[in-house]
Amino acid sequence: MAELNPAKEGGQAEEITEMVCLESDLKEGEMREVEVGSHKVLLVRSEGGYSAVGNLCTHYGATLSKGKTGLMGRAVCECALWEGSCYRMMCRMHAVKIENSKVFVSINKKDLEKTRRVKEMGCRVAGDSSTVLIIGGGPAALVCAETLRQESYGGRIIMATKEELPPYDRTKLSKAMNVKADSILLRQLDFYQSCDIEVWLRREAVSVNTDEKMVTFQDGSVQHYDQLLIATGSRSGF
Ligand SMILES: Cc1cc2nc3c(=O)[nH]c(=O)nc-3n(C[C@H](O)[C@H](O)[C@H](O)COP(=O)(O)OP(=O)(O)OC[C@H]3O[C@@H](n4cnc5c(N)ncnc54)[C@H](O)[C@@H]3O)c2cc1C
Ligand code: FES
């Protein structure tokens, strides 16, 4: 049964505390998914104590309880296991207390709100005639374009890529067979339209003239820029 601690009289409950298991349910080094309210939480028993974090990895949302426990009882994400690389530390910890051999976890709804990574996007502003040209269509190019709009840049943003698709998640290519193009797009096309980011597909840049602030493309077309980002990954080809 959940215990709710209202923020103020008549206000919405800010903290939910729930008994999630008995102490004896988890052995040292073990972890499991538990539910507090309707939120999925990863409970880990390690070094004689307990810790609780959201059960979805902050990288790409993999379920942490399907991974392993690693050093100092931290969850090793299965995504990281696939790549044999690092593991991620989850930064938002929930409070855990033990009473009469029962394990209670408290989550703060306001904290959960704060961790949502949603930032408002701006769009083009009339009268701003500047142009940012981004060469490349990978995650670096996308983050640049998005951040500019989030930070109220009101000029023209052009993302020119030689790909046939707008930015997609390359990491998924080595994780599953028969991946459909639509399912790995980092953003749908209407997103770019809604915040006035021009995406030029099949446009390979072949040279940059920094004196003239001009980029030439393989089809012979030329584009002027005020600011240029070369986000072509490890190889630009020019
Ligand atoms: C199969 C695969 C699996 C991966 N798995 C993982 C993983 O599990 N975890 C992880 O952390 N990383 C992984 N990576 C690496 C990750 O995808 C890269 O680190 C990341 O994509 C780099 O982003 P970027 O935007 O800098 O460059 P890129 O993603 O390389 O994007 C560069 C873009 O620029 C375009 N471009 C290049 N030259 C030109 C030009 N002259 N004109 C116009 N456009 C041009 C390219 O076509 C491309 O779209 C994987 C990569 C691959 C290929
Ligand atoms: S989803 Fe967890 S490290 Fe990638």
Side-chain angles (χ1 to χ4, degrees):
M1 178 81 186
E3 179 188 309
L4 305 174
N5 299 325
K8 45 186 176 277
E9 218 175 309
Q12 276 206 320
E14 278 190 359
E15 194 171 86
I16 307 171
T17 299
E18 205 156 314
M19 187 202 121
V20 292
C21 65
L22 297 173
E23 257 195 298
S24 54
D25 288 341
L26 272 188
K27 295 195 189 79
E28 173 69 23
E30 282 185 348
M31 61 182 180
R32 65 154 63 170
E33 180 182 275
V34 296
E35 259 192 44
V36 181
S38 54
H39 302 280
K40 305 222 182 293
V41 170
L42 177 76
L43 181 69
V44 183
R45 183 168 188 173
S46 155
E47 298 180 346
Y50 293 84
S51 54
V53 292
N55 197 22
L56 295 184
C57 179
T58 51
H59 175 223
Y60 224 111
T63 305
L64 289 169
S65 53
K66 291 184 181 164
K68 287 184 182 169
T69 44
L71 283 176
M72 291 153 64
R74 288 186 204 138
V76 182
C77 179
E78 60 178 356
C79 154
L81 286 176
W82 292 334
E83 291 298 301
S85 57
C86 64
Y87 57 87
R88 302 200 154 234
M89 269 194 68
M90 305 300 113
C91 47
R92 182 122 352 240
M93 305 285 285
H94 302 303
V96 183
K97 66 177 178 187
I98 312 296
E99 275 176 18
N100 302 324
S101 303
K102 294 171 183 162
V103 183
F104 293 83
V105 175
S106 301
I107 60 171
N108 186 306
K109 285 191 180 172
K110 276 207 165 159
D111 281 352
L112 293 177
E113 288 291 319
K114 277 186 221 153
T115 57
R116 274 191 204 147
R117 291 179 290 177
V118 180
K119 252 191 149 182
E120 239 172 73
M121 303 292 297
C123 51
R124 251 194 114 172
V125 174
D128 188 339
S129 58
S130 63
T131 299
V132 172
L133 176 58
I134 303 168
I135 309 178
L142 173 62
V143 167
C144 172
E146 264 190 33
T147 307
L148 284 167
R149 284 294 183 239
Q150 285 164 354
E151 299 298 325
S152 307
Y153 174 67
R156 189 176 180 196
I157 301 177
I158 304 169
M159 188 195 298
T161 173
K162 65 180 181 182
E163 303 274 338
E164 302 204 347
L165 292 174
Y168 57 90
D169 187 352
R170 287 170 190 276
T171 68
K172 290 201 174 154
L173 298 177
S174 55
K175 315 291 184 295
M177 300 289 280
N178 303 324
V179 173
K180 293 220 162 51
D182 267 5
S183 71
I184 58 169
L185 295 184
L186 293 171
R187 301 284 180 269
Q188 298 300 316
L189 277 174
D190 56 358
F191 167 82
Y192 301 100
Q193 284 156 9
S194 69
C195 47
D196 298 325
I197 297 169
E198 294 174 45
V199 184
W200 292 359
L201 302 178
R202 299 176 212 91
R203 293 292 283 276
E204 182 174 359
V206 288
S207 69
V208 177
N209 181 333
T210 50
D211 293 331
E212 302 284 331
K213 293 198 162 185
M214 295 282 208
V215 171
T216 304
F217 295 93
Q218 201 180 29
D219 61 7
S221 62
V222 169
Q223 176 61 46
H224 169 267
Y225 62 82
D226 294 292
Q227 305 286 330
L228 175 72
L229 177 73
I230 301 177
T232 52
S234 53
R235 238 172 301 165
S236 68
F238 55 83

mmCIF file of all heavy atoms in Angstrom, residues 169-188:
data_model
loop_
_atom_site.group_PDB
_atom_site.id
_atom_site.type_symbol
_atom_site.label_atom_id
_atom_site.label_comp_id
_atom_site.label_asym_id
_atom_site.label_seq_id
_atom_site.Cartn_x
_atom_site.Cartn_y
_atom_site.Cartn_z
ATOM 1 N N ASP A 169 19.707 6.461 -36.010
ATOM 2 C CA ASP A 169 20.532 5.886 -34.956
ATOM 3 C C ASP A 169 21.367 4.737 -35.505
ATOM 4 O O ASP A 169 20.884 3.621 -35.662
ATOM 5 C CB ASP A 169 19.622 5.394 -33.825
ATOM 6 C CG ASP A 169 20.437 4.943 -32.622
ATOM 7 O OD1 ASP A 169 21.681 4.869 -32.737
ATOM 8 O OD2 ASP A 169 19.832 4.664 -31.575
ATOM 9 N N ARG A 170 22.624 5.054 -35.797
ATOM 10 C CA ARG A 170 23.495 4.023 -36.362
ATOM 11 C C ARG A 170 23.719 2.876 -35.392
ATOM 12 O O ARG A 170 23.966 1.744 -35.799
ATOM 13 C CB ARG A 170 24.877 4.605 -36.667
ATOM 14 C CG ARG A 170 24.909 5.508 -37.840
ATOM 15 C CD ARG A 170 26.259 6.200 -37.880
ATOM 16 N NE ARG A 170 26.237 7.257 -38.857
ATOM 17 C CZ ARG A 170 26.453 7.064 -40.151
ATOM 18 N NH1 ARG A 170 26.724 5.877 -40.610
ATOM 19 N NH2 ARG A 170 26.411 8.073 -40.983
ATOM 20 N N THR A 171 23.673 3.180 -34.090
ATOM 21 C CA THR A 171 24.013 2.136 -33.111
ATOM 22 C C THR A 171 23.065 0.944 -33.229
ATOM 23 O O THR A 171 23.417 -0.174 -32.900
ATOM 24 C CB THR A 171 23.972 2.674 -31.666
ATOM 25 O OG1 THR A 171 22.633 2.967 -31.318
ATOM 26 C CG2 THR A 171 24.817 3.915 -31.497
ATOM 27 N N LYS A 172 21.837 1.193 -33.723
ATOM 28 C CA LYS A 172 20.879 0.080 -33.835
ATOM 29 C C LYS A 172 21.221 -0.858 -34.981
ATOM 30 O O LYS A 172 20.727 -1.976 -35.035
ATOM 31 C CB LYS A 172 19.468 0.638 -34.009
ATOM 32 C CG LYS A 172 18.964 1.284 -32.741
ATOM 33 C CD LYS A 172 17.472 1.377 -32.739
ATOM 34 C CE LYS A 172 17.005 1.900 -31.381
ATOM 35 N NZ LYS A 172 15.727 2.578 -31.479
ATOM 36 N N LEU A 173 22.052 -0.399 -35.911
ATOM 37 C CA LEU A 173 22.350 -1.231 -37.075
ATOM 38 C C LEU A 173 23.084 -2.515 -36.701
ATOM 39 O O LEU A 173 22.935 -3.532 -37.363
ATOM 40 C CB LEU A 173 23.189 -0.438 -38.097
ATOM 41 C CG LEU A 173 22.521 0.802 -38.679
ATOM 42 C CD1 LEU A 173 23.476 1.525 -39.623
ATOM 43 C CD2 LEU A 173 21.234 0.426 -39.411
ATOM 44 N N SER A 174 23.863 -2.436 -35.630
ATOM 45 C CA SER A 174 24.619 -3.633 -35.260
ATOM 46 C C SER A 174 23.943 -4.417 -34.145
ATOM 47 O O SER A 174 24.537 -5.322 -33.575
ATOM 48 C CB SER A 174 26.040 -3.243 -34.829
ATOM 49 O OG SER A 174 25.981 -2.286 -33.795
ATOM 50 N N LYS A 175 22.693 -4.051 -33.807
ATOM 51 C CA LYS A 175 22.026 -4.733 -32.685
ATOM 52 C C LYS A 175 20.851 -5.606 -33.135
ATOM 53 O O LYS A 175 20.356 -6.405 -32.370
ATOM 54 C CB LYS A 175 21.480 -3.720 -31.673
ATOM 55 C CG LYS A 175 22.408 -2.582 -31.283
ATOM 56 C CD LYS A 175 23.587 -3.034 -30.470
ATOM 57 C CE LYS A 175 24.458 -1.890 -30.011
ATOM 58 N NZ LYS A 175 25.125 -1.153 -31.083
ATOM 59 N N ALA A 176 20.343 -5.359 -34.342
ATOM 60 C CA ALA A 176 19.168 -6.132 -34.777
ATOM 61 C C ALA A 176 19.222 -6.320 -36.284
ATOM 62 O O ALA A 176 19.804 -5.509 -37.003
ATOM 63 C CB ALA A 176 17.899 -5.392 -34.395
ATOM 64 N N MET A 177 18.586 -7.414 -36.743
ATOM 65 C CA MET A 177 18.536 -7.682 -38.182
ATOM 66 C C MET A 177 17.287 -7.013 -38.771
ATOM 67 O O MET A 177 16.325 -6.764 -38.069
ATOM 68 C CB MET A 177 18.428 -9.191 -38.428
ATOM 69 C CG MET A 177 19.580 -9.988 -37.863
ATOM 70 S SD MET A 177 21.094 -9.711 -38.772
ATOM 71 C CE MET A 177 20.807 -10.775 -40.176
ATOM 72 N N ASN A 178 17.329 -6.773 -40.065
ATOM 73 C CA ASN A 178 16.160 -6.244 -40.797
ATOM 74 C C ASN A 178 15.538 -5.007 -40.162
ATOM 75 O O ASN A 178 14.324 -4.911 -40.000
ATOM 76 C CB ASN A 178 15.066 -7.322 -40.911
ATOM 77 C CG ASN A 178 15.589 -8.554 -41.588
ATOM 78 O OD1 ASN A 178 16.408 -8.459 -42.504
ATOM 79 N ND2 ASN A 178 15.157 -9.706 -41.129
ATOM 80 N N VAL A 179 16.391 -4.084 -39.772
ATOM 81 C CA VAL A 179 15.871 -2.857 -39.166
ATOM 82 C C VAL A 179 15.186 -2.013 -40.242
ATOM 83 O O VAL A 179 15.726 -1.828 -41.327
ATOM 84 C CB VAL A 179 17.034 -2.056 -38.539
ATOM 85 C CG1 VAL A 179 16.556 -0.703 -38.044
ATOM 86 C CG2 VAL A 179 17.654 -2.844 -37.394
ATOM 87 N N LYS A 180 13.997 -1.516 -39.930
ATOM 88 C CA LYS A 180 13.282 -0.659 -40.894
ATOM 89 C C LYS A 180 13.752 0.775 -40.722
ATOM 90 O O LYS A 180 13.898 1.264 -39.594
ATOM 91 C CB LYS A 180 11.782 -0.728 -40.639
ATOM 92 C CG LYS A 180 11.192 -2.091 -40.929
ATOM 93 C CD LYS A 180 9.830 -1.928 -41.625
ATOM 94 C CE LYS A 180 9.384 -3.180 -42.329
ATOM 95 N NZ LYS A 180 9.406 -4.397 -41.540
ATOM 96 N N ALA A 181 13.969 1.454 -41.841
ATOM 97 C CA ALA A 181 14.520 2.813 -41.793
ATOM 98 C C ALA A 181 13.712 3.721 -40.877
ATOM 99 O O ALA A 181 14.266 4.453 -40.053
ATOM 100 C CB ALA A 181 14.577 3.390 -43.208
ATOM 101 N N ASP A 182 12.381 3.642 -40.993
ATOM 102 C CA ASP A 182 11.514 4.524 -40.203
ATOM 103 C C ASP A 182 11.720 4.368 -38.706
ATOM 104 O O ASP A 182 11.556 5.314 -37.942
ATOM 105 C CB ASP A 182 10.038 4.191 -40.494
ATOM 106 C CG ASP A 182 9.514 5.063 -41.602
ATOM 107 O OD1 ASP A 182 10.335 5.808 -42.154
ATOM 108 O OD2 ASP A 182 8.309 4.981 -41.902
ATOM 109 N N SER A 183 12.055 3.146 -38.303
ATOM 110 C CA SER A 183 12.127 2.867 -36.867
ATOM 111 C C SER A 183 13.416 3.367 -36.225
ATOM 112 O O SER A 183 13.540 3.339 -35.008
ATOM 113 C CB SER A 183 11.984 1.356 -36.628
ATOM 114 O OG SER A 183 13.159 0.702 -37.080
ATOM 115 N N ILE A 184 14.371 3.780 -37.035
ATOM 116 C CA ILE A 184 15.626 4.227 -36.414
ATOM 117 C C ILE A 184 15.883 5.732 -36.611
ATOM 118 O O ILE A 184 16.942 6.238 -36.253
ATOM 119 C CB ILE A 184 16.844 3.410 -36.914
ATOM 120 C CG1 ILE A 184 16.979 3.493 -38.434
ATOM 121 C CG2 ILE A 184 16.775 1.972 -36.436
ATOM 122 C CD1 ILE A 184 18.304 2.940 -38.932
ATOM 123 N N LEU A 185 14.894 6.418 -37.159
ATOM 124 C CA LEU A 185 15.071 7.867 -37.308
ATOM 125 C C LEU A 185 15.122 8.511 -35.932
ATOM 126 O O LEU A 185 14.314 8.198 -35.052
ATOM 127 C CB LEU A 185 13.907 8.474 -38.096
ATOM 128 C CG LEU A 185 13.777 8.041 -39.553
ATOM 129 C CD1 LEU A 185 12.642 8.799 -40.227
ATOM 130 C CD2 LEU A 185 15.090 8.259 -40.311
ATOM 131 N N LEU A 186 16.079 9.414 -35.744
ATOM 132 C CA LEU A 186 16.175 10.093 -34.444
ATOM 133 C C LEU A 186 15.030 11.086 -34.269
ATOM 134 O O LEU A 186 14.568 11.328 -33.157
ATOM 135 C CB LEU A 186 17.529 10.801 -34.316
ATOM 136 C CG LEU A 186 18.731 9.853 -34.241
ATOM 137 C CD1 LEU A 186 20.045 10.610 -34.330
ATOM 138 C CD2 LEU A 186 18.697 9.031 -32.958
ATOM 139 N N ARG A 187 14.584 11.670 -35.362
ATOM 140 C CA ARG A 187 13.417 12.567 -35.353
ATOM 141 C C ARG A 187 12.649 12.335 -36.644
ATOM 142 O O ARG A 187 13.252 12.089 -37.687
ATOM 143 C CB ARG A 187 13.843 14.050 -35.319
ATOM 144 C CG ARG A 187 14.684 14.460 -34.147
ATOM 145 C CD ARG A 187 13.868 14.606 -32.875
ATOM 146 N NE ARG A 187 14.717 15.006 -31.765
ATOM 147 C CZ ARG A 187 15.332 14.182 -30.917
ATOM 148 N NH1 ARG A 187 15.181 12.876 -31.052
ATOM 149 N NH2 ARG A 187 16.091 14.642 -29.943
ATOM 150 N N GLN A 188 11.315 12.458 -36.574
ATOM 151 C CA GLN A 188 10.497 12.341 -37.781
ATOM 152 C C GLN A 188 10.605 13.630 -38.591
ATOM 153 O O GLN A 188 10.943 14.686 -38.062
ATOM 154 C CB GLN A 188 9.036 12.068 -37.415
ATOM 155 C CG GLN A 188 8.820 10.752 -36.671
ATOM 156 C CD GLN A 188 9.266 9.533 -37.479
ATOM 157 O OE1 GLN A 188 8.982 9.449 -38.666
ATOM 158 N NE2 GLN A 188 9.978 8.612 -36.846
#
